[in-house]
Amino acid sequence: MENEGTVWLPPANSTIAEDVDGLFYWILDTSIIIFAIVILLMAVFTWRYRRRGKDTLTPAKDHNNFLEALWTIIPTGLIMVAFFWGFSGYMKMRVMPLEGTEIKVTGQKWFWSYQYEEGANLTNDFAVPVNKPVTLTMSSADVIHSFYVPNFRIKMDVLPNRYTKVWFEPTHEGVFDVFCTEYCGQAHSEMVGKVHVLSEENYAAWIDSVSRFGEDLPPAELGEILYVKKACVTCHSLDGSIVQGPSFLGAWERDIQLTDGTTAIMDENYLRESIINPRAKIHVGYQPVMPTYQGQLKDYELDGLIAFIKQVKQQTGQ
Ligand code: CUA
């Protein structure tokens, strides 16, 4: 079935989208019809009961039981329809399925990470199988974020010190946008990702490859991939421009002024500490806003990132 979006809503790509869209369009159509009736009657009455001469007075009007009952009963009925329709859809959304894929989602300034039961740990982009329920258990490492996939019609706040859950069952293969929809600071608008909906075989192959990704790559090459995949790119440029954090251009083995008045050298140990425990040593002129990558990078991935940052110096510093 062809599945196009409309001017109101993007394409519907999950099982609950039907309920959400049905109710949305019903409320929209009802509102348009009521709006048209009200405006039309207003125009007719304005014309029909206009003042026709200097001495015409509006006759005194009493109430009309039939009309008053009508305009009470009809809206009450409409509201009841919206309530029960909405409630049944809400229950479907809030009762988690007992089977399917489970993924742990973490929101932090300013990226999403996904921890799979198979061991894969991904940033911003993740994948799920088509026509299978997926449950996300979510929490935040810092402030309130909100996980939003418009095509699936799901949105749920992601809070520090608490787990929230959301589920969906994708109905189409494809790539869909993930947004953060709770203002969470300077780079909130860059806290975006993609969910890839794959066929069952492709998903099985994919989860197998990402669980072991990068072990056989040269470290600097792996680091270059991780620089983008782990969202370092959001805050650290390679061309010397200052985004949220220091640029990696020519950073290697440079002396750094720290906010506590001492200096450090940008070497393997400084980088490792800054990735795992970013608030330990803060570069003068920058805010301590970097999140920790503790538990999100394997040792060989850390080595890869360090090898890559080293290279940014070699390529451009000559
Ligand atoms: Cu995270 Cu906005």
Side-chain angles (χ1 to χ4, degrees):
M1 195 187 77
E2 202 53 41
N3 179 46
E4 299 283 332
T6 65
V7 68
W8 302 102
L9 294 169
N13 302 107
S14 81
T15 50
I16 50 157
E18 209 175 294
D19 287 82
V20 175
D21 293 15
L23 179 56
F24 172 79
Y25 286 117
W26 183 80
I27 292 175
L28 180 69
D29 295 345
T30 311
S31 304
I32 290 172
I33 292 166
I34 292 173
F35 175 76
I37 293 172
V38 169
I39 296 297
L40 195 74
L41 283 177
M42 194 175 74
V44 169
F45 290 167
T46 309
W47 177 253
R48 185 152 168 208
Y49 301 110
R50 69 192 185 280
R51 193 175 181 192
R52 287 168 203 263
K54 272 195 171 165
D55 305 323
T56 38
L57 285 172
T58 311
K61 284 281 179 200
D62 209 343
H63 67 278
N64 183 321
N65 281 336
F66 173 72
L67 275 179
E68 283 171 17
L70 205 65
W71 74 51
T72 306
I73 292 166
I74 293 176
T76 307
L78 293 175
I79 286 166
M80 286 297 151
V81 172
F83 172 75
F84 285 105
W85 194 341
F87 186 69
S88 86
Y90 177 79
M91 288 309 283
K92 261 188 234 175
M93 276 182 186
R94 294 314 309 150
V95 178
M96 300 298 138
L98 292 172
E99 48 188 29
T101 315
E102 280 191 51
I103 305 169
K104 171 73 180 66
V105 178
T106 305
Q108 57 194 103
K109 296 195 265 185
W110 286 280
F111 60 89
W112 298 104
S113 49
Y114 310 92
Q115 176 75 53
Y116 284 71
E117 286 166 337
E118 288 84 352
N121 198 327
L122 302 163
T123 303
N124 283 338
D125 283 25
F126 71 119
V128 293
V130 72
N131 295 326
K132 288 265 163 64
V134 178
T135 307
L136 307 179
T137 303
M138 309 189 289
S139 64
S140 166
D142 39 49
V143 298
I144 301 178
H145 304 275
S146 186
F147 188 87
Y148 180 34
V149 185
N151 290 62
F152 296 166
R153 313 288 190 262
I154 56 161
K155 184 192 275 187
M156 178 50 75
D157 275 5
V158 178
L159 307 157
N161 303 321
R162 183 160 133 194
Y163 296 106
T164 51
K165 287 189 175 218
V166 72
W167 82 277
F168 57 89
E169 183 175 325
T171 48
H172 300 80
E173 286 174 41
V175 185
F176 307 106
D177 289 314
V178 176
F179 296 116
C180 176
T181 178
E182 181 76 54
Y183 181 70
C184 54
Q186 219 169 351
H188 155 73
S189 62
E190 286 159 61
M191 194 168 165
V192 290
K194 299 271 183 211
V195 47
H196 300 250
V197 179
L198 307 174
S199 70
E200 208 172 327
E201 308 101 73
N202 287 353
Y203 178 76
W206 174 85
I207 192 77
D208 191 48
S209 75
V210 289
S211 302
R212 290 179 292 106
F213 177 79
E215 274 171 307
D216 46 2
L217 282 178
E221 219 170 283
L222 172 64
E224 188 169 5
I225 296 167
L226 293 175
Y227 166 73
V228 177
K229 278 185 103 167
K230 295 290 172 185
C232 316
V233 60
T234 309
C235 298
H236 299 281
S237 80
L238 299 180
D239 61 3
S241 62
I242 304 304
V243 196
Q244 318 287 344
S247 175
F248 289 154
L249 178 72
W252 185 250
E253 286 186 332
R254 183 185 281 172
D255 287 335
I256 314 162
Q257 293 291 326
L258 301 177
T259 47
D260 66 3
T262 60
T263 56
I265 291 176
M266 182 84 81
D267 59 5
E268 285 91 343
N269 283 318
Y270 180 83
L271 283 172
R272 188 186 168 93
E273 183 180 41
S274 296
I275 294 168
I276 300 298
N277 183 13
R279 317 249 155 128
K281 297 192 174 105
I282 300 296
H283 198 316
V284 164
Y286 296 92
Q287 294 300 310
V289 293
M290 178 165 159
T292 172
Y293 279 81
Q294 180 103 50
Q296 297 189 27
L297 292 166
K298 299 176 184 113
D299 269 351
Y300 72 86
E301 292 179 315
L302 267 171
D303 294 344
L305 274 170
I306 292 167
F308 170 66
I309 294 166
K310 202 171 185 174
Q311 232 187 22
V312 179
K313 151 92 174 177
Q314 283 171 357
Q315 282 166 351
T316 50
Q318 287 161 1

